[in-house]
């Protein structure tokens, strides 16, 4: 079975398994796990931040950031297709007591004039805007790699109004690879960033939330509140550190996504969005099949992918998919379409 559902399905390689076996550990709630401390220091350095916090998941990292940056009742500005809006179970309302002002943003990033227009100043009747939320890469818009200039322009507009900026960078290193810039180039204009170790980087578990020292100190308390305090976590942090120090060949994942997209675009009824990173979105409406029905056929032919909307299917390349797998996947999807 060729698994193109997500880059979260990758298995840890032997170097990661060995790192876990040999990890020096301590109680991380007491901040005594040396491996976690090393991971956090390195993770902060890579994105140009003062400090970082290891968290069990990207969703938890995002929810912590929202709670730390804001006061209950405030508004958060976000693109309407953001992961935090669509796929985090309303956590902004449940955990931080926030209301979301959703925007239709070009490439998922509000223009400076949008930030200015949608900003709400606090007064007797209105809670005010508390946070600008960005995403890079932008999952629901097809894995778009958002340029540093676009991020900086939005962040500057927010900062002019004393509004902090958070980036959901679950696939931040995919964006950096696609744009041929450093991860810190993408995060230098913002106040905090979350990025996943367990997606394209290939680690088995965990994400990182980074910002200045005061932010991370408050984030550590909020992590405990949400049940994310971990004890001898060095065993799972060590593979994450290995993933950071020996980063996966993300450019190859992107090439394979382009090759997959090119092949899928030749199939009747497929409207394929050109990928910028490792995500390929396909509108299958003209096939006459709903996504789940098509994917059931694909599974029968050895390929799994994800339904991603009423007429959309998502394919995601990753380190465990080879060139031969891409060729076989294309054959499988074509056979699925031709199944009576």
């Amino acid at each position: 079975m060729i698994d193109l559902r997500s880059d979260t399905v990758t298995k840890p390689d032997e170097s990661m398994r060995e790192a876990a076996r040999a990890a020096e550990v301590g109680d991380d709630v007491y901040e005594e796990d040396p491996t976690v401390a090393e991971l956090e220091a390195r993770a902060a350095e890579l994105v140009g931040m003062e400090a970082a916090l290891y968290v069990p998941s990207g969703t938890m990292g995002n929810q912590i950031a929202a709670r730390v940056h804001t006061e209950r009742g405030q508004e958060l500005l976000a693109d309407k297709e953001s992961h935090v809006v669509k796929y985090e179970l309303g956590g902004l309302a449940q955990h931080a007591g926030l209301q979301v002002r959703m925007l239709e943003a070009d490439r998922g990033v509000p223009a400076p004039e949008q930030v200015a227009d949608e900003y709400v100043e606090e007064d007797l009747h209105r809670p005010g805007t508390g946070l600008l939320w960005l995403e890079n890469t932008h999952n629901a818009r097809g894995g778009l790699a958002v340029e540093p200039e676009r991020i900086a322009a939005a962040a500057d507009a927010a900062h002019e109004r004393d509004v902090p900026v958070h980036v959901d960078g679950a696939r931040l290193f995919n964006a950096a690879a696609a744009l041929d810039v450093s991860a810190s180039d993408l995060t230098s204009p913002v106040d905090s960033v979350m990025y996943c170790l367990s997606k394209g980087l290939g680690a088995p578990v965990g994400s990182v939330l980074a910002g200045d020292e005061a932010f991370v100190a408050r984030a550590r308390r909020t992590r405990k509140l949400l049940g994310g305090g971990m004890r001898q976590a060095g065993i799972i942090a060590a593979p994450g550190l290995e993933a950071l120090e020996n980063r996966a060949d993300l450019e190859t994942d992107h090439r394979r996504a382009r090759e997959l997209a090119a092949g899928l675009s030749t199939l009747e009824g497929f409207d394929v969005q050109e990928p910028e990173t490792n995500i390929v979105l396909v509108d299958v409406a003209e096939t006459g099949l709903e996504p789940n029905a098509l994917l059931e056929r694909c599974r029968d032919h050895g390929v799994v992918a994800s339904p991603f909307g009423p007429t959309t299917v998502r394919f995601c390349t990753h380190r465990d998919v080879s060139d031969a797998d891409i060729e076989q996947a294309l054959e499988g999807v074509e056979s699925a379409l031709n199944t009576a």
Side-chain angles (χ1 to χ4, degrees):
M1 190 70 68
I2 299 171
D3 197 338
L4 297 169
R5 290 173 298 171
S6 176
D7 44 11
T8 60
V9 304
T10 57
K11 305 294 195 302
D13 60 24
E14 287 305 312
S15 66
M16 292 180 191
R17 294 175 186 271
E18 176 58 25
R21 188 199 67 79
E24 186 179 356
V25 300
D27 191 323
D28 185 51
V29 173
Y30 290 121
E31 300 183 49
E32 293 176 354
D33 191 302
T35 305
V36 172
E38 184 180 359
L39 168 64
E40 290 172 340
R42 181 61 174 142
E45 179 185 19
L46 286 171
V47 292
M49 298 289 182
E50 291 180 359
L53 182 70
Y54 184 49
V55 294
S57 71
T59 293
M60 181 179 282
N62 279 340
Q63 296 301 317
I64 291 170
R67 185 170 177 120
V68 171
H69 277 305
T70 62
E71 297 178 3
R72 299 184 73 81
Q74 285 187 317
E75 293 190 2
L76 178 148
L77 301 180
D79 176 57
K80 70 183 184 68
E81 298 294 331
S82 297
H83 188 278
V84 75
V85 171
K86 298 183 72 172
Y87 303 120
E88 297 188 19
L89 287 173
L92 294 172
Q94 296 199 68
H95 301 306
L98 299 176
Q99 49 190 334
V100 181
R101 185 174 289 256
M102 291 184 286
L103 311 177
E104 178 64 58
D106 183 39
R107 294 184 60 79
V109 178
E113 53 270 25
Q114 281 183 290
V115 175
D117 290 345
E118 300 295 339
Y119 168 77
V120 173
E121 188 168 356
E122 179 183 352
D123 62 21
L124 179 62
H125 305 283
R126 308 186 74 178
T129 301
L131 184 61
L132 172 63
W133 195 276
L134 306 177
E135 185 175 329
N136 201 11
T137 64
H138 199 297
N139 178 20
R141 293 191 180 275
L144 299 182
V146 183
E147 305 86 345
E149 299 81 10
R150 194 179 290 259
I151 293 170
D156 287 348
H159 289 153
E160 287 171 5
R161 294 160 178 83
D162 296 322
V163 174
V165 183
H166 174 73
V167 169
D168 174 355
R171 296 180 175 88
L172 182 72
F173 286 91
N174 289 88
L179 296 168
D180 194 23
V181 298
S182 70
S184 60
D185 287 336
L186 298 172
T187 57
S188 60
V190 305
D191 301 281
S192 62
V193 60
M194 181 284 297
Y195 62 91
C196 291
L197 304 172
S198 57
K199 289 189 168 69
L201 298 180
V205 63
S207 294
V208 170
L209 177 62
D212 64 29
E213 290 182 355
F215 170 83
V216 171
R218 293 182 62 197
R220 189 176 298 277
R221 285 175 54 85
T222 305
R223 182 186 69 177
K224 187 69 168 67
L225 173 69
L226 298 180
M230 298 178 285
R231 302 299 179 174
Q232 288 70 39
I235 287 177
I236 55 173
L241 184 59
E242 179 71 18
L244 282 181
E245 297 293 10
N246 299 286
R247 287 190 288 282
D249 185 1
L250 299 176
E251 292 90 346
T252 295
D253 293 344
H254 300 171
R255 173 181 61 77
R256 288 175 177 146
R258 292 191 296 272
E259 292 172 356
L260 177 65
L264 293 173
S265 67
T266 67
L267 302 181
E268 186 175 356
F270 274 22
D271 183 5
V272 183
Q273 179 177 325
E274 184 177 354
E276 296 185 8
T277 54
N278 66 323
I279 290 173
V280 180
L281 297 187
V282 183
D283 190 308
V284 300
E286 292 187 9
T287 66
L289 294 169
E290 294 184 353
N292 283 326
L294 174 62
L295 291 173
E296 285 180 12
R297 293 188 185 184
C298 288
R299 179 178 284 274
D300 290 340
H301 289 84
V303 183
V304 288
S306 296
F308 213 60
T311 64
T312 304
V313 171
R314 188 187 79 168
F315 298 85
C316 187
T317 58
H318 50 79
R319 60 185 288 165
D320 289 355
V321 173
S322 67
D323 289 336
D325 289 334
I326 296 298
E327 293 180 12
Q328 188 175 338
L330 287 169
E331 293 172 2
V333 175
E334 184 175 15
S335 296
L337 274 178
N338 293 331
T339 300

